[in-house]
């Protein structure tokens, strides 16, 4: 329950920090921290325009996408506080739920009949397929490391003993940050601020959405960021009392947002054809984590 | 009633059904066939349900002329599970088929034969599950193959259909060759033709070779790599209700056979488990990668069947590793996942084939690039296809997730409990493989659904498509109900599956194992989770509805980035959707282009055609060259088949002579 509240709270200011960091890095003052969420609330108050080509799918997809992310957040713990739903192997559910949301967004893009949106949909499908193995290997390694298979049990028993385990933690954080960037279609693979539809991934898929639907799709992005940020925060929190873990959680989220902003300011987008290699590279890095875990556990026999 | 009487009764029903079908007018044939299938299904479901509750049904028929004289009939919980799946899918197939074949009503002889073979096909599959005696098993197996062949070549006027049918027939007979060899070996080893006598083959005393023979025989049916090449040809050629039943059930009989032999043979399973696990991961990846790039929707679905057989195989592999290492939780999760996925796949695959069949019936094309926008004219069919697509990708809250969850849990449990670096690496790579299979299946099914049902029609169709008739939709409602029951009450099905594993692998499992209770609790949570998810969706949707009610809602053209004259042909196609993916896996998904080059001498442009296609590399570079080599050698024996009746009579005479001499000198007993 607590983690859900904290994640929702984070999602309100997360994008603001990212945008602030970016504007500071480019020498501007930038909008207020709450500006992105104000934009989203403005969208919720608007009417909608639907394409004549679209069908029911287009209307229900954003709702299901948003709900799937909220349901995924329900499984995330905070240190030794369990998530609302927790069972052995819940991370499989977590990944598949996010995949469900993506499935619906992809077909809703195809529903508009626009070739630009089809292009974005095709890329989204490919990239999310490529990024999933990395996530599973990381969580699998952590599961092996701790001997448990649910988010809550993994994170509440995670403790660092040897030097290698620090390395594992650092690598896992690195990979998770990049997974979060890819899943949200941010900088190294996709540029949300680009002005050419041909080079977009996620932004082009939602060209035809408007009003409430666009609002919840846009709100899903900070929610997903905060969700991954919570996962990263859990690497460091461990079993500490609440008065330490909550400030720690927020500071990690803020650092994460600043890192995202810095990455976006100083990194160029890859060429579209290089993205698959880059994303698959994450899988090999996460295999390193797996071998590190095997080393720590002494399973290298 | 004794189960042997039931077996005879099914035969009686079959024969009277065949006669009945011969004499009724052609418009009543479908209903007769449905009635016969339902009677046989009810007859065989009763002992199956009894067997599932723990009362194994055994009986025997005495036939003087068969070796051993006694035909053992046996329905234990494993065969009961498969019999119930067969019955459910076959009834649905018959219902769907009765609507699907309406447009072929004028071809009178065709329809009659078709339904005769359909009822034969149904009951022969059940006989395969019932008979323990090798020869009767093989006869049923052969009846099943031949009747399904006749169903596949329903449109025998088409050359491609006949070709696919012959391909199917040959491969099925290769499978029978291996099975027959297996039974003969079994007989020489134990003196009995019964499958259950496999148990008396002493471990490590050829048992592995008998296993290999049977495994290859069954792998042909199941479609494991590289024995899969009949699937992508036979499924598109067959009428849709037949492809639905074939893909839903007939390939599962291969899985049934594999389970059977595993349960009887005692052997050190660990290495075999790892081999099956690796083979299955490759099968799944290969199947789904090919499914993602095909333009023919039925071919795509057929490749997807190969993928799901791979997933079931992963479960079997994990279970065997569990038996080999004496880790009960792996056996529970692996076999449990495999058996449950067998049920799930038979449900959503037949659903997909049925809804795809409705599309084919209305549009007369299997090429997705010609379709589009069908959700507006066929909304219910589109909804069913979407449900099937979501479920087959293993996405919650549908039933596919339940079985994939069990298999994932098995793989992760394996990571903890199996020691040895190479085995652990194999397991993590299997997890990666399974994850990628899930991802690629999202690509394939967003492509299929998006291109077929969404957007605008890409080409002008001959006639406006209409929603499928009620009789065709009815079985799809049944399937969806069962699917949702698996999704929301997985614990019930898991309990059944555990009973099956417990009674089939008695020595390998104790019911008090804590893993069962944990998994059951997790599955209950998953069921609840699905309910919460739906509640949340309804709430968000209600908020959206309330908010939008007060606001202005407009419609206009799709925003085409400033271009003002978009045409439907400019929409994204299935080929372009999967192109990047296809290029990424260019080493196994090889693309060929078909076009005429513009010659230097032609001055004026004329209309030209350009097409691309992907081929199955295993078929092209492994199976076809191999058969070419074999047929090269066999050509030297062609003089035997010289077309002269006289010489054929002489062959017969020679044969009789040999048998005569053999019996006189007691060479043949």
């Amino acid at each position: 329950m607590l983690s859900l509240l904290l994640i929702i709270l984070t999602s309100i200011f997360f994008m603001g920090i990212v945008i602030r960091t970016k504007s500071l890095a480019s020498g501007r003052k930038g909008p207020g921290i709450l500006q992105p969420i104000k934009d989203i609330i403005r969208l919720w108050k608007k009417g909608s325009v639907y394409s004549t080509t679209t069908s029911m799918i287009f209307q229900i997809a954003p709702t299901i996408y948003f709900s799937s992310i909220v349901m995924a957040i329900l499984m995330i713990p905070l240190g030794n506080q369990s998530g609302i739903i927790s069972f052995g192997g819940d991370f499989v559910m977590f990944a598949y739920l996010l995949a469900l949301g993506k499935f619906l967004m992809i077909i809703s893009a195809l529903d508009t009949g626009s070739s630009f949106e089809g292009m974005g949909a095709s890329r989204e499908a490919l990239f999310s397929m490529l990024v999933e193995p990395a996530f599973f290997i990381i969580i699998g390694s952590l599961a092996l490391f701790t001997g448990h298979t649910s988010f809550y049990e993994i994170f509440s028993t995670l403790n660092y003993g040897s030097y290698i385990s620090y390395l594992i933690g650092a690598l896992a954080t690195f990979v998770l940050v990049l997974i979060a960037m890819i899943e949200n279609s941010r900088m190294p693979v996709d540029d949300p601020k680009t002005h050419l539809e041909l080079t977009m991934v996620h932004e082009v898929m939602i060209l035809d959405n408007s009003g409430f639907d666009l609002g919840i799709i846009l709100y899903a992005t900070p929610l997903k960021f905060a969700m991954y940020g919570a996962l990263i925060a859990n690497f460091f929190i461990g079993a500490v009392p609440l008065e330490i873990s909550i400030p720690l959680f927020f500071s990690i989220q803020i650092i994460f947002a600043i890192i995202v902003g810095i990455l976006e300011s100083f990194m160029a987008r890859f060429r579209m054809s290089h993205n698959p290699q880059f994303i698959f590279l994450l899988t090999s890095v996460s295999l390193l984590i797996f071998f590190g875990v095997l080393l720590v556990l002494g399973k290298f026999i | 009633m004794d189960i042997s009487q039931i077996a005879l009764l099914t035969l009686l029903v079959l024969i009277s059904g065949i006669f009945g079908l011969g004499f009724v007018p052609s418009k009543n044939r479908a209903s007769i066939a449905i009635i016969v299938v339902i009677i046989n299904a009810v007859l065989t479901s009763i002992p199956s349900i009894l067997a599932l509750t723990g009362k194994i049904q055994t009986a025997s028929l005495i036939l003087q002329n068969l070796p051993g004289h006694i035909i053992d009939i046996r329905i234990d919980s494993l065969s009961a599970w498969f019999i119930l799946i067969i019955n459910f899918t076959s009834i649905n197939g018959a219902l769907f088929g009765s609507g699907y074949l309406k447009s072929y009503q004028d071809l009178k002889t065709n329809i009659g034969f078709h339904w005769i073979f359909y009822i034969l096909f149904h009951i022969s599959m059940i006989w395969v599950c019932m008979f323990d005696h090798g020869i009767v098993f093989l006869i049923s197996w052969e009846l099943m193959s031949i009747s399904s062949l006749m169903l596949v070549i329903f449109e025998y006027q088409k050359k491609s259909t006949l070709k696919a049918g012959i391909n199917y027939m040959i491969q099925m007979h290769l499978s029978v060759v291996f099975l027959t060899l297996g039974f003969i070996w079994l007989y020489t080893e134990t003196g009995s033709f019964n499958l259950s006598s496999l148990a008396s083959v002493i471990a490590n005393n050829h048992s592995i070779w008998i296993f290999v023979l049977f495994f290859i025989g069954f792998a042909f049916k199941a479609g494991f790599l590289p024995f899969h090449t009949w699937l992508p040809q036979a499924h598109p050629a067959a009428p849709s209700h037949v492809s639905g039943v074939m893909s839903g059930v007939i390939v599962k009989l291969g899985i049934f056979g594999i389970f059977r032999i595993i349960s009887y043979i005692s052997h050190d399973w660990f290495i075999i488990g790892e081999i099956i696990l690796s083979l299955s991961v490759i099968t799944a990846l290969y199947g789904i990668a090919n499914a993602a790039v095909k333009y023919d929707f039925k071919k795509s679905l057929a490749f997807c069947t190969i993928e799901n057989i791979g997933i079931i195989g992963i479960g079997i592999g994990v279970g065997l590793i569990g038996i080999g290492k004496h880790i009960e939780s792996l056996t529970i999760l692996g076999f449990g996942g495999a058996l449950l996925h067998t049920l799930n796949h038979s449900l959503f695959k037949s659903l997909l084939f049925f809804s795809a069949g409705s599309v084919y019936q209305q549009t007369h094309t299997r090429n997705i690039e010609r379709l589009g926008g069908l959700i507006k004219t066929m909304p219910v069919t589109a909804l069913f296809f979407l449900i099937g697509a979501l479920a087959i990708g293993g996405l919650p809250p549908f039933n596919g997730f339940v079985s994939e969850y069990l298999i994932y849990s098995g793989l992760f449990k394996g990571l903890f409990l199996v020691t040895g670096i190479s085995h652990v690496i194999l397991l993590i790579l299997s997890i990666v493989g399974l994850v990628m299979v899930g991802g690629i299946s999202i690509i394939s099914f967003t492509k299929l659904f998006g291109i077929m049902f969404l957007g605008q029609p890409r080409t002008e169709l001959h006639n406006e498509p209409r929603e499928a008739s009620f009789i065709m939709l009815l079985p799809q409602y049944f399937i969806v109900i069962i699917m949702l029951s698996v999704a929301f009450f997985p614990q019930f099905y898991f309990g059944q599956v555990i009973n099956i594993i417990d009674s089939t692998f008695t020595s390998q499992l104790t019911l008090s194992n804590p893993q069962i209770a944990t998994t059951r609790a997790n599955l209950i949570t998953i069921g609840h989770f699905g309910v919460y998810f739906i509640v949340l969706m309804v709430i968000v949707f209600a908020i959206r509805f309330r908010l939008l009610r007060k606001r202005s809602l407009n419609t206009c053209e799709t925003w085409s980035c400033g271009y003002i004259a978009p045409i439907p042909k400019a929409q994204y196609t299935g080929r372009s959707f999967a192109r990047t993916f296809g290029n990424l896996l260019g080493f196994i998904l090889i693309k060929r282009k078909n076009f005429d080059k513009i010659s230097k001498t032609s001055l004026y442009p004329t209309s030209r055609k350009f097409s691309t296609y992907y081929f199955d590399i295993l078929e092209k570079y492994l199976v076809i060259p191999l058969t070419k080599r074999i047929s090269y050698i066999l050509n030297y024996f062609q003089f035997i088949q010289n077309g002269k009746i006289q010489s054929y009579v002489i062959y017969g005479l020679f044969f009789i002579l040999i048998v005569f001499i053999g019996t006189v000198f007691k060479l043949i007993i």
Side-chain angles (χ1 to χ4, degrees):
Chain A
M1 198 66 204
L2 184 65
S3 56
L4 176 70
L5 285 178
L6 289 181
I7 288 172
I8 289 177
L9 214 60
T10 314
S11 70
I12 292 171
F13 62 81
F14 194 95
M15 288 323 285
I17 296 179
V18 172
I19 290 175
R20 203 32 152 347
T21 316
K22 280 169 81 175
S23 32
L24 287 178
S26 58
R28 292 176 286 119
K29 185 164 167 279
I33 299 253
L34 294 180
Q35 191 57 45
I37 203 77
K38 282 180 191 161
D39 291 347
I40 288 168
I41 291 169
R42 165 72 54 84
L43 279 171
W44 281 339
K45 290 180 183 161
K46 286 193 171 189
S48 282
V49 182
Y50 292 109
S51 158
T52 43
T53 316
T54 57
S55 62
M56 269 305 288
I57 301 291
F58 190 74
Q59 313 234 0
I60 58 171
T63 308
I64 300 179
Y65 172 64
F66 180 76
S67 321
S68 74
I69 290 169
V70 174
M71 288 309 279
I73 289 172
L74 294 189
M75 284 181 277
I76 300 214
L78 174 75
N80 52 1
Q81 300 273 314
S82 151
I84 293 175
I85 296 166
S86 168
F87 56 94
D90 55 2
F91 56 89
V92 180
M93 183 71 131
F94 176 84
Y96 272 70
L97 262 177
L98 295 182
L100 172 77
K102 255 177 233 148
F103 189 106
L104 265 298
M105 285 314 288
I106 290 166
I107 57 174
S108 105
L110 288 172
D111 198 12
T112 59
S114 150
S115 46
F116 292 104
E117 299 194 28
M119 196 185 303
S122 155
R123 287 170 183 163
E124 175 103 343
L126 182 67
F127 294 165
S128 55
M129 182 274 281
L130 289 170
V131 79
E132 256 165 51
F135 177 76
F136 268 83
I137 296 177
I138 288 190
I139 302 293
S141 318
L142 291 177
L144 188 59
F145 191 55
T146 57
H148 296 288
T149 52
S150 76
F151 274 135
Y152 166 62
E153 286 169 323
I154 288 174
F155 287 127
S156 58
T157 51
L158 188 68
N159 56 351
Y160 298 100
S162 59
Y163 291 120
I164 300 171
S165 52
Y166 285 108
L167 184 70
I168 293 168
L171 273 179
T173 312
F174 168 73
V175 176
L176 265 186
V177 168
L178 282 177
I179 288 178
M181 300 292 273
I182 295 164
E183 291 271 327
N184 283 305
S185 306
R186 306 296 288 198
M187 205 38 154
V189 294
D190 183 19
D191 184 359
K193 286 280 165 282
T194 180
H195 290 287
L196 183 60
E197 289 86 353
L198 281 174
T199 61
M200 294 176 179
V201 180
H202 183 72
E203 302 300 310
V204 74
M205 286 169 64
I206 53 174
L207 274 182
D208 266 85
N209 291 89
S210 55
F212 182 82
D213 288 349
L214 184 64
I216 54 175
I217 293 170
L218 289 184
Y219 182 54
T221 302
L223 260 186
K224 259 167 123 178
F225 260 128
M227 176 179 81
Y228 281 103
L231 273 186
I232 294 168
N234 274 317
F235 279 140
F236 302 102
I237 290 177
V240 290
L242 283 181
E243 57 269 26
I244 306 179
S245 68
I246 291 175
L248 199 58
F249 177 88
F250 280 119
S251 41
I252 289 170
Q253 292 276 20
I254 291 169
I255 294 171
F256 177 44
I258 294 173
I259 289 175
V260 172
I262 292 175
L263 271 178
E264 298 218 326
S265 313
F266 295 101
M267 222 170 157
R269 191 177 61 76
F270 289 139
R271 231 169 70 192
M272 214 41 104
S273 55
H274 286 182
N275 277 337
Q277 283 98 320
F278 169 72
I279 298 172
F280 215 66
L281 187 88
L282 291 181
T283 305
S284 28
V285 177
S286 50
L287 270 180
L288 273 184
I289 299 172
F290 180 68
F291 290 130
V293 169
L294 288 184
L295 257 182
V296 173
L297 294 180
K299 280 208 171 192
F300 253 116
I301 313 159
Chain B
M1 192 160 40
D2 198 340
I3 167 175
S4 62
Q5 287 162 314
I6 287 181
L8 288 177
L9 210 57
T10 54
L11 184 67
L12 199 69
V13 173
L14 172 74
I15 292 171
S16 46
I18 291 176
F19 273 102
L21 280 170
F23 289 111
V24 297
S26 84
K27 67 175 190 308
N28 293 339
R29 279 177 177 153
S31 4
I32 295 280
I34 293 172
I35 290 168
V36 171
V37 170
I38 289 179
I39 291 174
N40 270 341
V42 170
L43 275 179
T44 50
S45 293
I46 294 166
S48 307
I49 291 170
L50 284 178
L52 266 186
T53 53
K55 302 186 194 76
I56 295 178
Q57 310 278 312
T58 50
S60 45
L61 282 172
I62 297 172
L63 270 187
Q64 285 306 329
N65 300 330
L66 267 177
H69 307 306
I70 296 168
I71 306 172
D72 286 321
I73 305 174
R74 191 180 142 86
I75 297 185
D76 59 1
S77 48
L78 182 67
S79 31
W81 180 252
F82 282 86
I83 288 175
L84 290 177
I85 293 176
I86 291 168
N87 283 337
F88 183 70
T89 315
S90 300
I91 292 174
N92 286 332
L95 286 172
F96 182 83
S98 71
Y100 184 78
L101 293 180
K102 276 263 164 62
S103 42
Y104 297 91
Q105 201 67 264
D106 318 328
L107 313 165
K108 288 200 173 86
T109 48
N110 266 1
I111 300 269
F113 273 114
H114 185 82
W115 285 119
I116 286 174
F117 284 114
Y118 191 88
I119 56 178
L120 178 64
F121 172 56
H122 167 229
I123 199 65
S124 60
M125 287 194 291
I126 289 175
W127 287 342
V128 165
C129 297
M130 281 166 68
F131 289 115
D132 194 27
H133 188 277
I135 291 178
V136 186
F137 179 90
L138 282 178
I139 291 173
S140 320
W141 187 268
E142 193 60 13
L143 272 178
M144 168 179 82
S145 299
I146 297 209
S147 54
S148 57
L149 166 73
M150 300 313 270
L151 295 177
V152 167
I153 56 169
F154 178 69
E155 292 177 277
Y156 59 88
Q157 299 90 342
K158 285 187 191 161
K159 203 179 154 198
S160 58
T161 305
L162 265 188
K163 210 177 147 207
I166 291 170
N167 185 312
Y168 174 60
M169 183 175 77
I170 292 170
Q171 302 218 24
M172 286 307 104
H173 283 89
L174 279 174
S175 138
V176 171
V177 168
F178 281 101
L179 292 182
T180 315
L181 283 177
F183 276 113
I184 291 172
W185 196 328
L186 184 64
Y187 182 69
T188 54
E189 196 91 2
T190 63
S192 156
F193 273 108
N194 280 2
L195 254 182
S196 48
S197 64
L198 273 171
S200 53
V201 179
I202 306 141
N204 301 324
N205 188 18
H206 319 304
S207 63
I208 179 69
W209 295 108
I210 297 182
F211 170 76
V212 168
L213 279 177
F214 276 109
F215 182 78
I216 294 178
F218 290 126
F220 263 109
K221 203 78 186 180
F224 279 102
L225 240 58
F227 312 114
H228 68 283
T229 48
W230 64 273
L231 273 148
Q233 298 191 19
H235 281 26
S240 291
H241 59 291
V242 177
S243 357
V245 178
M246 278 176 72
S247 184
V249 191
I250 211 171
V251 294
K252 302 299 166 6
L253 287 176
I255 299 292
F256 168 74
I258 291 170
F259 262 112
R260 261 275 173 271
I261 47 174
I262 291 170
S263 69
Y264 289 140
I265 299 182
S266 50
H267 191 268
D268 176 24
W269 288 113
F270 182 63
I271 295 297
I272 295 178
E274 290 202 326
I275 293 171
I276 292 184
L277 178 62
S278 328
L279 180 71
S280 309
V281 173
I282 296 169
T283 303
L285 275 173
Y286 187 81
I288 196 65
N290 272 293
V293 293
K294 290 284 182 281
Y295 318 133
D296 177 339
F297 56 77
K298 280 177 92 175
K299 207 168 236 183
S300 204
L301 290 178
F303 271 112
C304 178
T305 301
I306 298 172
E307 173 229 332
N308 280 282
I309 290 298
I311 293 179
I312 295 171
I314 292 174
I316 295 177
V318 171
L320 284 181
I321 290 175
I323 292 184
K325 286 267 175 183
H326 305 293
I327 306 171
E328 282 183 12
S329 41
L330 288 195
T331 314
I332 295 165
L333 294 169
F335 285 154
L339 283 172
L340 202 54
H341 201 73
T342 308
L343 168 70
N344 282 339
H345 180 244
S346 80
L347 295 171
F348 44 62
K349 189 44 73 70
S350 48
L351 178 67
L352 283 168
F353 264 117
F354 291 165
S355 45
S358 310
V359 171
Y360 179 69
Q361 193 201 31
Q362 294 299 323
T363 60
H364 302 289
T365 179
R366 297 200 308 259
N367 186 348
I368 57 169
E369 318 287 30
R370 293 175 182 278
L371 302 170
L374 288 175
I375 194 170
K376 297 212 179 64
T377 43
M378 310 173 74
V380 185
T381 304
L383 179 69
F384 285 141
F385 195 92
L386 179 62
I387 291 176
L390 289 171
I392 208 165
L395 299 173
F398 291 98
N399 59 341
F401 179 75
V402 176
S403 43
E404 289 203 16
Y405 166 79
L406 288 179
I407 293 173
Y408 270 115
S409 313
L411 286 169
F412 278 105
K413 261 273 160 350
L415 275 187
F416 299 160
L417 300 176
V418 177
T419 48
I421 179 86
S422 53
H423 312 308
V424 175
I425 290 179
L426 176 70
L427 285 169
I428 193 91
L429 288 182
S430 309
I431 292 173
V432 172
L434 195 52
V435 172
M436 296 210 32
V437 165
I440 302 172
S441 88
I442 287 176
I443 298 185
S444 346
F445 281 95
T446 46
K447 183 193 81 171
L448 279 184
F449 183 77
I451 306 294
M452 279 164 73
F453 290 99
L454 303 176
Q456 284 176 322
R458 285 176 176 73
T459 48
E460 195 85 6
L461 294 167
H462 288 296
N463 39 8
E464 177 80 356
R466 276 178 302 164
E467 185 54 85
S469 60
F470 174 72
I471 193 78
M472 288 165 78
L473 293 177
L474 184 68
Q476 306 183 40
Y477 283 111
F478 291 153
I479 295 173
V480 169
I481 289 169
I482 301 285
M483 277 169 66
L484 293 180
S485 77
V486 181
F488 293 111
F489 305 100
Q491 64 274 24
F492 169 72
Y493 292 88
F494 181 69
Q496 297 301 328
V497 163
I498 288 302
N499 285 339
I500 296 169
I501 301 171
D502 178 48
S503 64
T504 320
F505 300 90
T506 324
S507 54
Q508 315 291 349
L509 194 71
T510 43
L511 274 178
S512 55
N513 192 301
Q515 183 66 46
I516 297 175
T518 332
T519 311
R520 187 192 299 273
N522 288 347
L523 287 177
I524 291 173
T525 321
I526 289 176
H528 290 176
F529 192 93
V531 179
Y532 301 151
F533 185 34
I534 287 176
V535 169
L536 179 68
M537 269 186 318
V538 170
I539 291 173
V540 179
F541 207 74
I543 295 173
R544 175 184 183 275
F545 184 74
R546 274 195 67 101
L547 281 176
L548 287 186
R549 210 172 42 177
K550 300 174 207 147
R551 318 232 187 281
S552 68
L553 295 179
N554 299 318
T555 51
C556 80
E557 295 257 305
T558 297
W559 165 244
S560 45
C561 306
Y563 185 62
I564 50 162
I567 49 167
K569 272 200 170 169
Q571 289 174 96
Y572 229 50
T573 57
R575 180 179 178 274
S576 37
F577 189 80
R579 186 173 159 270
T580 339
F581 169 75
N583 288 351
L584 206 63
L585 286 186
F587 53 97
I588 51 168
L589 304 172
I590 296 173
K591 187 170 60 184
R592 286 277 182 275
K593 297 168 184 167
N594 266 345
F595 60 97
D596 331 312
K597 280 206 171 105
I598 300 176
S599 66
K600 280 177 184 163
T601 50
S602 65
L603 287 178
Y604 302 105
T606 49
S607 71
R608 284 172 198 286
K609 276 188 177 169
F610 175 86
S611 63
T612 57
Y613 64 96
Y614 290 89
F615 58 80
D616 184 348
I617 51 163
L618 276 181
E619 187 178 17
K620 185 156 173 139
Y621 294 126
L622 182 75
V623 177
I624 292 178
L626 202 67
T627 43
K628 270 194 182 150
R629 291 280 161 80
I630 294 172
S631 56
Y632 181 76
I633 301 166
L634 292 181
N635 267 342
Y636 289 109
F637 297 93
Q638 220 176 20
F639 68 91
I640 295 174
Q641 190 199 15
N642 50 15
K644 289 180 194 147
I645 294 175
Q646 291 93 328
S647 29
Y648 294 160
V649 173
I650 287 191
Y651 298 155
L653 208 63
F654 268 125
F655 184 73
I656 293 169
L657 215 64
I658 290 169
V659 173
F660 176 69
I661 292 169
T663 33
V664 166
F665 292 98
K666 306 248 179 211
L667 296 172
I668 305 170
I669 309 150

